[in-house]
Every structure is written in C-alpha cells, then in structure tokens.
Amino acid sequence: MTVRTRFAPSPTGFLHIGGARTALFSWAYAKKHQGKFVLRVEDTDVERSTPEAVQAIMDGMAWLGLSHDEGPFHQMQRMGIYQKHLETLLASGHAYYCYSSKEELGALRAQQVEAGMKPKYDGKWRPEVGKVLPEVPADIKPVIRFNNPKEGAVAWDDLVKGRIEIANTEMDDVIIARGEGTPTYNFCVVVDDWEMGITHVIRGDDHVNNTPRQINMLNALGATVPHYAHLSMILGSDGQKLSKRHGAVSVMQYHEDGYLPEAILNYLGRLGWSHGDDEVFDIKQFCEWFDLDHITPSAAQFNTEKLNWLNAHYIKNADLDALAPDITKRMAALGVAVRAEPPIKTVLELYRERANNLNQLAADIAYFYIVPETNAKDAEKHLTDEIKPVMAVMAETLKNTTWTAEAIHEVIAATVKENVLKFPKIAMPLRVMLAGIAQSPSIDQVMAILGKETVLNRMAHYLK
RNA sequence: GUCCCCAUCGUCUAGAGGCCUAGGACACCUGGUUUUCAUCCAGGCGACAGGGGUUCGACUCCCCUUGGGGACACCA
C-alpha cells in the first residue's frame, strides 16, 4: 500500500513553527516510503479564513522546501462531496437534525460548568426508540449532529503515543453541519482523509480528543480507518505554550530574522525525534532516517541557542553563490549597497566562519562597502596618541607595498619590530580605523580585501 | 470540574530488565590554538520527580502521588 500523508492547516494565520514541524514530519514520512504528500486547506470557517493566510502558509512551505504532491485542495470547493456523505449518514440514522438554539445550548453549558460537569449536549433531539421528539420550531435552522454510539469505547494504536482508549460516554453528539448548511471540521476531516486515501494521519496532539469521534464517523461511513500519529506540542523556552511573546512563531519570521531554511529544518527534525546521537543532518539524510518509532511522546521546549548553533553550521557550509545574493539583499535593507569590489564572495569567505545569523553577517561586513562608524570606546582604548605617529609612518610604507595579505603582514611585522611592540598594539588600532571596531578577522587579510586606496583613506582620516 | 496525554542533566535527547559508574548535543565553566573577537580543539559541571510493588536484578514493567500539558464551540 502506498503511504499517503497530508498536511491540513486552517488558513487563519501564518505557518507557525509547530505547524511547520507537523508538515515536515508528514512530508518526510511520505518521502521515506516513496508515498504522496497531500496539502489540504481547511477553510470551512468562513469567518476566519483568508486568502492571505493561504498564501502565507504556501510561502512558508515553499521556503522550507516542503513541496506537496497533490493539492492544495480547498474544503470550501468540496461541498458537494460532504453533502453526499451527510445524506448517507442522515439516511442511515447515524446523524440527525437538532433544533436547539445557540442560546439554549449556551445556557445548558453554563449550567453544566456551574455544576462542575463536563459540558455536553443533552441529547434533546437525538432520536431513540420509543422517544417522542419535541415539536419542530419553525424559526430555527437545524444543525446536523452525528449520532455517536452510546456504549463501549473507541481505541486505536497511536503510532507515537501507543494505545489510547476513550469511552463513548465521553463523546458528544458533535455538530457536523451548521444551521446554514456548511459542514464542520470534524466531518470534513473524516470525509477528506477517507476520500483522499490518507493512510497516515500525522498531526498535533491537540487532536487526540477528536480522533475517537472521527473513528466513529469513519466506521459509520463504512470507511477505512487510517493510522494515527499524534505529535506533542512545541513549547516556548519557558515551557509555556508557544505564542507571540516568545518572539518568532511564524516560520517566515525566521527567514527575516536571519535563519537559513536548512537550519530550521534540521532543528525541527531533531525536536521530538532522534536518530541515536546524530545532531546534524540535511533534509535528504532526514528523509532516509525518519520514522515514527523514534518520536518522543512528550512535549518539547523550543531552544533558540541550539537553533543558532545549527544556523552557524549551515552558514559555514552554505553555497557561496546562494549566500551572496541573500546577504546582498539583507545589506540593502540596512542601506548598504554592495559593489563589485571587493567581491562579496571573498568577504563572505572570510567572515562566515564567525557568523550564526545572516542579518548579523550582513551587518558585520558592511564596512567593506561603507565607511563604518567608529566605536568610541575601542578608539579610545587602542587608537592612542602614542601609536598614531607609528601608524602614520606605516601608512607611508603601505603606499609602496604590493597589495597582498603576505606583503601587508610583513609591513606590520616590521613596524612591530622597529618599535619594539606587541603585535596587537598595531593590529587593534588598524581594526578601529578600518572596521570601526576592535574585532575583525586577521587584519592583513581584511586590508588585502579592502584594497589599498580604501585602507589609506580610512587611515588618513584618523591620522591627519 | 470531567476526560486524555506526558515525566532522564537548565534545554533537545539516547536508553526496548543486566551493555548504566546513565551516553550524545546545545548552553555554561576551564584550558589550548589564534594577532583581538569569533571559529576550532581538549576537558569539566550536570539528570532517571517521589513512593510502593513485580523481578535474582528496574531509568526501563505495573500501581499510587505529585507536577506539567491538551481537549471539552454552529473554531479548526
């Protein structure tokens, strides 16, 4: 049997980090088994669904490279299909019309909560043998409820959590179609997972409680019950539910914040899933290794430090041809125009070893293209009046120096020797004059890349 | 409140009854490399929530407690 998985977001916002991991796992499981990955947009909540959100989710998936094999299917365009199955259920007695008003239901719930009970439909309109139903009110458009079995229990072997069993008495007669006729989530999921031939439903564990009623509906429809794998949630770094106050929750926000999709994918893949001691693996390796057996059933806290570490790794190993335009864009956002000289790829080669964030990297190399601001503290500490004359002499020497890192190094070494100084005494003021700060890679290399003219100009600015 | 799920270093995790003196990674600390910072390298700190069972033997199995989380909509 071909494995078929799906990702079924509701378009009410961006693709968040938890959704991205669910998508990743579903996608990877399909890839691993040469199956199909279906994208389905659950947009039956007309009030909250927006086309912008659909686009935002598609953008997030595209950025991560989680391409679907089928879809996207939109539930609002599949009304005819749901209608057909709704009628089947009505005809077989597995569903019935309920004329209780929203107000009536609300009052009932309030009463039950007050009494410390689990809020539940009272079954007023549920047809039962020998029961006389109330008179149908003329002014109410009825909803359709699923006639959930009253006895026994539903059990399934969850591929992540193991066997789960829930008594039917715990389950309500869930509303499967609204008063105005549109079917609701729980019914559409059931029909779609069946019609689309989904073999493995991989989703967040906030759906565990929906699973038994969905299985009941599947059974009522005479459908095949898929395998279920419920993924635990991703918590914020403080152990609380992930929300805006934890910073980036939208996947695309991570893009803006300077992360590589490779890093996000690796991080998310390792969050709640493991392959022995392996920590760093690319997406191809992940697809080969991925399985449902090694998913942790417990919730995981998001840890930005580890993400940063992975981001650094992928920046170091990134293809320079791909990195260069990305960084160029980020520099443009900082108001820095990258020129042909010095070549940005050369600069990146020198700098990416020390970066764990693309925005930071862009900011760090800005001084190759613009005159940097001087860090006053660094200048005060390193660019002293005692050293300035020495630097001035060296600047003269540099004018006639062949412009290679080696030759520049010799000049610095000679200056150090002549003045009986330590190397940093010369290197640090150079950094301040050229980069604006006291930290940079090997100063001779920086100078070589910066170019003779720029170096002499910047030195002259401080030494006049 | 009711039901469901979860529980190993600060964090992510390895662990399928003896391979456990509990392993790896991030973070942190120390040292080394470096021309500063970063990188890199070496070392260190650091956990089986508690209590009962079962067993010759329990991090692993069972029960209870505690603690976390989730679900209880004409949302998905």
Side-chain angles (χ1 to χ4, degrees):
Chain A
M1 184 173 64
T2 310
V3 165
R4 292 175 62 84
T5 63
R6 45 71 154 187
F7 180 54
S10 56
T12 55
F14 41 66
L15 176 64
H16 58 87
I17 212 76
R21 188 185 58 159
T22 304
L24 170 63
F25 283 13
S26 292
W27 178 86
Y29 193 74
K31 290 283 167 256
K32 161 78 177 268
H33 297 279
Q34 287 89 43
K36 298 285 182 209
F37 177 60
V38 180
L39 180 60
R40 183 170 79 218
V41 179
E42 312 221 316
D43 54 358
T44 55
D45 184 352
V46 187
E47 301 279 304
R48 299 198 302 153
S49 300
T50 65
E52 290 75 28
V54 173
Q55 193 53 50
I57 291 165
M58 302 283 284
D59 289 347
M61 301 275 288
W63 182 60
L64 292 173
L66 303 179
S67 53
H68 47 272
D69 301 303
E70 291 176 24
F73 297 108
H74 294 257
Q75 291 187 322
M76 285 309 284
Q77 288 162 217
R78 297 167 57 79
M79 285 301 140
I81 297 168
Y82 308 128
Q83 201 55 46
K84 187 182 80 188
H85 292 295
L86 228 32
E87 277 157 24
T88 309
L89 249 31
L90 244 15
S92 65
H94 285 296
Y96 61 90
Y97 288 105
C98 166
Y99 294 84
S100 296
S101 67
K102 284 184 192 180
E103 294 71 34
E104 207 178 327
L105 261 13
L108 176 68
R109 190 174 309 115
Q111 197 186 321
Q112 288 166 328
V113 171
E114 179 100 1
M117 287 157 55
K118 182 171 181 164
K120 231 181 147 195
Y121 174 58
D122 60 3
K124 186 175 176 186
W125 295 90
R126 185 196 305 136
E128 273 163 71
V129 186
K131 175 179 173 183
V132 181
L133 259 23
E135 185 127 344
V136 173
D139 56 336
I140 290 193
K141 284 185 181 166
V143 299
I144 299 174
R145 285 182 185 272
F146 176 65
N147 194 341
N148 198 77
K150 297 288 135 343
E151 289 165 1
V154 182
W156 76 97
D157 291 304
D158 195 275
L159 267 17
V160 171
K161 295 180 184 287
R163 190 167 185 81
I164 299 178
E165 189 171 320
I166 297 177
N168 273 318
T169 50
E170 287 303 318
M171 282 173 255
D172 225 341
D173 279 356
V174 65
I175 292 171
I176 56 178
R178 300 179 178 86
E180 91 280 7
T182 55
T184 60
Y185 165 76
N186 268 297
F187 187 67
C188 297
V189 170
V190 163
V191 170
D192 283 342
D193 284 341
W194 177 31
E195 289 260 352
M196 294 176 186
I198 303 303
T199 58
H200 298 259
V201 173
I202 301 170
R203 64 193 352 176
D205 77 356
D206 46 335
H207 288 291
V208 165
N209 293 272
N210 287 324
T211 305
R213 52 176 128 261
Q214 289 177 8
I215 291 176
N216 278 337
M217 282 188 249
L218 250 6
N219 287 147
L221 249 15
T224 320
V225 178
H227 296 287
Y228 291 97
H230 287 98
L231 272 23
S232 287
M233 346 190 21
I234 297 177
L235 272 21
S237 47
D238 54 359
Q240 298 299 113
K241 193 171 180 172
L242 214 46
S243 66
K244 287 108 269 164
R245 74 195 149 78
H246 290 103
V249 273
S250 157
V251 161
M252 290 313 275
Q253 185 64 46
Y254 282 93
H255 178 216
E256 276 178 45
D257 288 351
Y259 291 92
L260 246 18
E262 291 87 343
I264 300 285
L265 252 11
N266 192 155
Y267 180 73
L268 252 23
R270 186 64 182 66
L271 192 62
W273 174 84
S274 60
H275 184 267
D277 287 341
D278 295 305
E279 296 286 348
V280 180
F281 39 79
D282 62 20
I283 192 67
K284 189 167 167 277
Q285 183 67 79
F286 180 64
C287 287
E288 283 169 27
W289 282 343
F290 186 68
D291 60 9
L292 266 16
D293 300 335
H294 292 84
I295 294 178
T296 325
S298 54
Q301 286 187 33
F302 194 88
N303 183 248
T304 308
E305 270 84 39
K306 192 158 182 178
L307 207 214
N308 288 342
W309 171 71
L310 282 167
N311 205 37
H313 169 83
Y314 285 102
I315 289 174
K316 273 175 212 155
N317 294 288
D319 175 14
L320 279 178
D321 289 317
L323 196 58
D326 183 309
I327 295 297
T328 300
K329 248 182 257 170
R330 289 173 196 273
M331 289 176 75
L334 296 172
V336 179
V338 171
R339 282 173 277 103
E341 287 297 328
I344 187 158
K345 278 162 67 173
T346 309
V347 178
L348 286 175
E349 239 176 333
L350 185 65
Y351 257 86
R352 62 162 163 181
E353 284 286 314
R354 48 211 297 124
N356 67 5
N357 182 286
L358 299 172
N359 290 337
Q360 190 57 49
L361 179 53
D364 286 350
I365 65 170
Y367 77 88
F368 282 91
Y369 303 98
I370 54 162
V371 176
E373 281 184 34
T374 314
N375 181 295
K377 262 186 140 175
D378 285 346
E380 191 189 336
K381 185 173 177 192
H382 301 290
L383 196 54
T384 57
D385 288 340
E386 296 84 78
I387 205 70
K388 277 183 182 174
V390 177
M391 302 308 291
V393 172
M394 191 171 75
E396 283 307 311
T397 314
L398 285 170
K399 280 181 188 167
N400 301 309
T401 302
T402 318
W403 212 248
T404 64
E406 294 72 28
I408 294 166
H409 186 267
E410 304 243 324
V411 172
I412 298 174
T415 307
V416 164
K417 201 174 175 192
E418 280 161 27
N419 297 279
V420 199
L421 293 167
K422 299 268 190 207
F423 205 108
K425 280 283 175 209
I426 300 297
M428 297 309 259
L430 276 172
R431 289 195 169 95
V432 173
M433 289 187 284
L434 303 176
I437 55 170
Q439 288 82 42
S440 85
S442 186
I443 193 63
D444 43 22
Q445 288 191 58
V446 168
M447 290 164 79
I449 295 172
L450 223 31
K452 188 187 276 191
E453 197 187 333
T454 305
V455 167
L456 293 175
N457 281 344
R458 290 190 191 173
M459 286 180 80
H461 170 76
Y462 292 92
L463 302 173
K464 63 190 169 200

